[in-house]
Amino acid sequence: MRIRPTLLILLGTTLAAPVLPAADLAHAQPTFGSASENSLLAHIQILASDDFEGRAPGTPGEAKTVAYIEQQFRRLGLKPGNPDGSYVQAVPMRGQHATPRFSYQEGGAQPVQLRFPDDFVAYASGPEDQLTLRDSELVFVGYGVVAPEYGWDDYKGADLRGKTLLMLINDPALPDPRDPSRLDPAMFRGEAMTYYGRWNYKYESAAQQGAAAALIVHETKPAAYPYEVVRNGALAERFSLLDDGAADGPPVPGWIHLDKAKELVAAAGYDFAALKQAALSKDFRPISLKAQASFDVSSQSRSLSSQNVVGLIEGSDPLLKHDYIIYSAHWDHFGIDERLPGPRSRQIYHGALDNASGVGALLELAKAYQALPQRPKRSILFLATTAEESGLLGAKYYGNYPLYPLARTVANINIDGINAWGRTAQIENVTSGHSTLDEVLARHALAQGRSMAPDARPELGSFYRADQLEFARQGVPVLYTKSRSGYIGKPDNYARDVVDYYVAHDYHKVSDEVRDNWDFSGGLEDIELLFRVGQELAQGGARPQWYPTSEFRTLRATLRAKP
């Protein structure tokens, strides 16, 4: 790895409202100090080491991870982030190892047994150690979407209670009438994935229909990751919140491999491609596949208390200190899979970029704020969340049981993965188009000599795959950035090549390890940029507002109406 000093820690003056124009910001930048790629890398090397055992919740790896982050918070002089005087927030969860069996039968034919986890994955969403489902009618429901704002309803009032739904991943891919080579921007945001396209929504939708089971057909491009990611996730312990309230899925949620889905619909006399095409119409109605599905799910379950780690810099202003900016990064990964061949080091999901790098960035940000000559006016909470890999559970729990009022939470700035491939001429705003944080980010990017760009990979649905989503769903304006384009001194295809290689070969695999060829010069520029955005807010800058077109705007109004 190329190591060189990079300027990050702020030592000079701070920004205060009113906001300075970008031209003036360029001349008002304070002096920076001695943080470097070395310090960021050191955190990553420790958290992604074999000693931390893949950082799975409820394991010795969690204990080591939580202790390390708390130790760093104490070393930096952060106050305990929990009002009870501790650095942790307990997150009660259920852990589950599922061993499912699935078969289907067409008419009087012999049952077809699929293999777990190569052909399908499934689990029981409830607490049962043994769940049996027999002769549940299989129904193809297209994308499983009900979106009134787009005039879309895949269910059309069909009675799907007790049935097994076969569903497509992502949003309906509707061609633009003016340019059929592109997707219609007026429907499901065109090229971008919406929440309707996420697996979470599919399961929630199936539960609302009273379905007994839901199988999502995996396709690599629309899912944005290969089937191996689904397979590996199913072999790991699955977590859920103990007090989740309303069901977030049917009794048996799962995925099915594309090839096996094609075989299933072919046995019913249908062509999979034709069914997909039919699902692109607003007139689509659920189609019975004339088959019965049966599931047996055996589970080994346990209750555990995982932990979010929280450190606080209390604001200096008597009034504004009751406002909070939250920086977040998840600390968890997938632990150890002893079924993998080779030595133990090849069985550990190290999670170096995902998300030891984000936790390292969180610690670098805390260090930068602590180096200020005066504390900012608003308070800053540094939140390292648990169980993000299991469905954003730590962030969801914080949103349900906040340590500080969400109505006084100014913004969430989330970090999930740091650019390890060099400097970029632009910063991608994954959350662009939702709030006035866009304008704050663009202004400070310009002061760095960079520009703000929208998400270069909107089809990945990154907005809905990281912790900031749970804050947005609570009405808190959010910021989540990436550097996946515009690499300085690199060919045009470089960004897509490195990102695609990482997703195909390292993402959610044991090979997500520290690399010798990493270059965090751009990553540290991104960290500095997030620092400046947060600092403007912390110094009393205008509270971010949701744009009228954002689906999260009404949630903020609800928060403000609460006592």
Side-chain angles (χ1 to χ4, degrees):
M1 174 180 174
R2 181 160 52 111
I3 303 292
R4 64 176 183 275
T6 305
L7 303 179
L8 176 66
I9 298 184
L10 189 66
L11 296 174
T13 58
T14 56
L15 295 174
V19 175
L20 292 173
D24 294 332
L25 280 171
H27 298 289
Q29 298 301 309
T31 305
F32 287 89
S34 60
S36 70
E37 295 184 45
N38 301 60
S39 57
L40 175 62
L41 179 62
H43 292 307
I44 299 172
Q45 287 174 324
I46 292 170
L47 291 165
S49 68
D50 289 357
D51 288 343
F52 280 65
E53 302 180 1
R55 307 190 307 279
T59 68
E62 166 170 2
K64 292 178 181 180
T65 303
V66 169
Y68 180 79
I69 298 170
E70 179 176 340
Q71 176 193 57
Q72 295 303 308
F73 282 171
R74 289 180 182 273
R75 184 183 64 83
L76 291 168
L78 301 189
K79 290 186 174 183
N82 194 322
D84 69 6
S86 74
Y87 285 90
V88 297
Q89 178 188 34
V91 180
M93 299 195 304
R94 178 186 299 109
Q96 178 193 77
H97 280 286
T99 305
R101 289 185 295 168
F102 165 53
S103 64
Y104 64 90
Q105 187 173 17
E106 306 271 357
Q110 288 294 314
V112 177
Q113 187 80 43
L114 273 65
R115 299 170 302 154
F116 168 81
D118 297 324
D119 299 338
F120 82 103
V121 303
Y123 59 91
S125 62
E128 305 92 342
D129 288 335
Q130 186 67 43
L131 186 150
T132 299
L133 175 64
R134 290 282 179 268
D135 301 326
S136 169
E137 182 184 355
L138 269 160
V139 182
F140 176 69
V141 294
Y143 289 89
V145 168
V146 178
E149 67 271 37
Y150 297 116
W152 199 273
D153 180 2
D154 280 327
Y155 298 117
K156 305 294 193 300
D159 184 359
L160 299 171
R161 291 173 295 179
K163 299 180 181 180
T164 295
L165 311 187
L166 188 69
M167 320 172 88
L168 300 172
I169 191 61
N170 212 312
D171 302 305
L174 302 169
D176 187 341
R178 295 162 296 185
D179 181 2
S181 67
R182 301 181 62 83
L183 297 184
D184 187 351
M187 295 295 294
F188 299 98
R189 296 185 187 159
E191 305 291 336
M193 182 190 291
T194 73
Y195 186 61
Y196 295 118
R198 291 286 293 144
W199 59 265
N200 319 59
Y201 171 81
K202 309 290 183 182
Y203 294 154
E204 292 167 2
S205 175
Q208 291 167 1
Q209 297 298 317
L215 291 174
I216 301 172
V217 180
H218 179 271
E219 295 185 79
T220 296
K221 184 176 179 180
Y225 41 78
Y227 183 79
E228 188 177 359
V229 171
V230 174
R231 182 186 186 280
N232 291 345
L235 292 173
E237 186 175 16
R238 178 188 172 272
F239 298 99
S240 58
L241 295 178
L242 281 179
D243 61 342
D244 226 2
D248 57 5
V252 182
W255 292 77
I256 183 170
H257 193 285
L258 175 61
D259 293 341
K260 296 303 174 182
K262 289 180 177 179
E263 292 175 7
L264 190 159
V265 300
Y270 292 101
D271 175 72
F272 182 76
L275 286 181
K276 280 191 67 175
Q277 186 61 39
L280 293 178
S281 169
K282 286 185 177 182
D283 297 326
F284 171 83
R285 292 179 177 274
I287 298 171
S288 174
L289 296 176
K290 307 168 188 175
Q292 308 298 313
S294 294
F295 294 88
D296 287 287
V297 184
S298 299
S299 302
Q300 293 180 324
S301 301
R302 63 173 176 141
S303 296
L304 66 147
S305 181
S306 190
Q307 294 176 315
N308 290 332
V309 192
V310 283
L312 179 70
I313 297 176
E314 188 175 30
S316 60
D317 185 274
L319 296 177
L320 290 179
K321 72 177 183 180
H322 299 294
D323 287 347
Y324 297 86
I325 290 91
I326 298 180
Y327 284 99
S328 59
H330 75 90
W331 58 255
D332 66 298
H333 207 54
F334 291 106
I336 302 172
D337 185 355
E338 295 179 345
R339 292 166 291 194
L340 294 175
R344 189 169 181 80
S345 63
R346 304 310 305 159
Q347 298 173 330
I348 296 173
Y349 288 85
H350 299 89
L353 286 184
D354 184 17
N355 188 35
S357 69
V359 175
L362 192 73
L363 296 173
E364 290 298 300
L365 284 162
K367 181 166 62 175
Y369 276 102
Q370 288 295 71
L372 289 169
Q374 183 178 354
R375 286 181 290 120
K377 295 179 180 180
R378 287 182 170 127
S379 295
I380 304 174
L381 187 71
F382 298 90
L383 170 65
T385 57
T386 183
E388 186 271 356
E389 302 290 11
S390 295
L392 320 181
L393 298 184
K396 183 176 184 179
Y397 189 84
Y398 185 93
N400 290 339
Y401 303 98
L403 298 176
Y404 303 94
L406 293 175
R408 299 300 299 266
T409 302
V410 175
N412 166 242
I413 301 173
N414 187 51
I415 308 163
D416 197 344
I418 290 296
N419 169 25
W421 299 294
R423 297 178 63 226
T424 62
Q426 59 192 28
I427 186 77
E428 292 180 27
N429 183 1
V430 175
T431 48
S432 65
H434 284 279
S435 81
T436 55
L437 281 168
D438 292 4
E439 299 154 34
V440 183
L441 179 67
R443 188 164 55 247
H444 288 284
L446 183 60
Q448 284 188 324
R450 306 166 74 194
S451 62
M452 184 192 80
D455 189 354
R457 307 293 298 271
E459 72 279 6
L460 299 181
S462 297
F463 186 109
Y464 305 98
R465 293 171 58 183
D467 279 338
Q468 77 284 335
L469 174 64
E470 294 301 332
F471 287 93
R473 294 176 78 172
Q474 294 287 349
V476 176
V478 296
L479 179 63
Y480 177 40
T481 63
K482 291 284 186 183
S483 286
R484 297 183 291 204
S485 58
Y487 280 85
I488 296 172
K490 304 292 185 180
D492 291 342
N493 64 339
Y494 175 78
R496 188 165 289 266
D497 287 349
V498 294
V499 172
D500 285 351
Y501 183 90
Y502 173 76
V503 171
H505 298 281
D506 298 327
Y507 176 66
H508 287 190
K509 297 181 177 66
V510 296
S511 56
D512 185 2
E513 301 175 282
V514 174
R515 303 290 187 187
D516 290 337
N517 63 347
W518 279 348
D519 176 1
F520 279 117
S521 58
L524 283 178
E525 280 191 325
D526 294 348
I527 295 169
E528 178 189 323
L529 179 55
L530 297 182
F531 172 84
R532 293 189 182 282
V533 170
Q535 189 196 17
E536 177 178 321
L537 301 178
Q539 279 302 98
R543 292 179 66 117
Q545 302 296 317
W546 292 107
Y547 291 139
T549 54
S550 174
E551 64 264 39
F552 302 110
R553 179 177 63 87
T554 56
L555 298 174
R556 189 63 172 181
T558 301
L559 273 184
R560 287 176 176 165
K562 291 181 179 180

